[in-house]
Amino acid sequence: MLSLKRLLDRSPTAQATLVFLLGLGVTALFRRDEHPAVWVFQSALYTGIAIAVLAVQRRRIARAVGTDAGGLADLNRKIRHHEVPQDPEERAAMRRLAAEQLGQMERAGKWLPYWLGAMGLVVVGMFVLGAVSGSLVFPLLFAVGMVALCSWVLWMRRRSLDRLHGMRQALRQE
């Protein structure tokens, strides 16, 4: 499991393969009546868009931090494992990475209440559609899934902020 996690952390090809397979499965699940070639085409399109966005973000952050993609993956792993680097250059890169990610999360946090409100409106809309159609089973399952997703996003955000603040504090102390 650890090697798979490291492979997905470092390899854009492994990430693209995973996104393609997940996209293919979801597309096949929701579009059973269409030809499998359509599933493959749509999954390839989704994969291309996702990998392009990730590559642009990774390149921008790596440029801001002053390292390459492999070094960026190592720095992110060290943040996750609470490892403070000893090398002065690596410490400076870690400091820039923590500042960049904290700034990005704070900017995104301004939109978080609106995002959560939109998710709430979608859930309410699903309940209204369910009440009109006479079945509340799917809207109830959807609401539970949406609450779980939003709770997970908030938990991961809090955890990431704690890690980044902890790393920034550790880099200041030494």
Side-chain angles (χ1 to χ4, degrees):
M1 185 66 175
L2 185 62
S3 62
L4 177 64
K5 193 174 178 181
R6 179 166 285 148
L7 179 68
L8 286 172
D9 193 30
R10 291 183 163 275
S11 171
T13 305
Q15 293 169 359
T17 304
L18 181 64
V19 169
F20 177 77
L21 291 175
L22 287 173
L24 185 64
V26 169
T27 303
L29 182 66
F30 287 113
R31 298 184 182 262
R32 292 182 205 167
D33 55 338
E34 293 195 20
H35 194 275
V38 174
W39 302 345
V40 171
F41 175 74
Q42 286 182 337
S43 183
L45 179 67
Y46 301 151
T47 300
I49 292 169
I51 294 301
V53 168
L54 289 174
V56 167
Q57 285 179 341
R58 184 177 286 163
R59 183 175 296 133
R60 184 187 59 79
I61 291 173
R63 197 175 303 139
V65 171
T67 186
D68 61 344
L72 188 61
D74 285 337
L75 291 174
N76 279 320
R77 185 191 56 77
K78 287 181 180 184
I79 288 175
R80 284 192 309 272
H81 293 276
H82 306 286
E83 297 173 8
V84 180
Q86 299 302 321
D87 181 38
E89 289 180 21
E90 194 175 12
R91 288 174 66 83
M94 179 73 80
R95 195 173 292 117
R96 289 190 299 269
L97 177 62
E100 174 72 25
Q101 288 182 349
L102 277 170
Q104 186 177 19
M105 289 184 78
E106 288 169 1
R107 286 188 302 274
K110 292 177 184 176
W111 292 98
L112 189 61
Y114 302 109
W115 182 79
L116 292 173
M119 294 298 122
L121 286 174
V122 169
V123 168
V124 169
M126 289 297 292
F127 273 121
V128 168
L129 288 175
V132 169
S133 69
S135 174
L136 290 176
V137 174
F138 180 71
L140 185 61
L141 289 174
F142 184 78
V144 168
M146 191 62 69
V147 167
L149 173 70
C150 291
S151 298
W152 178 76
V153 166
L154 290 172
W155 176 70
M156 287 300 293
R157 176 180 166 70
R158 178 83 258 149
R159 190 171 154 196
S160 295
L161 283 171
D162 289 344
R163 284 179 178 170
L164 290 169
H165 284 297
M167 181 56 71
R168 188 169 64 178
Q169 192 68 18
L171 289 169
R172 284 182 186 161
Q173 289 177 355
E174 292 182 13

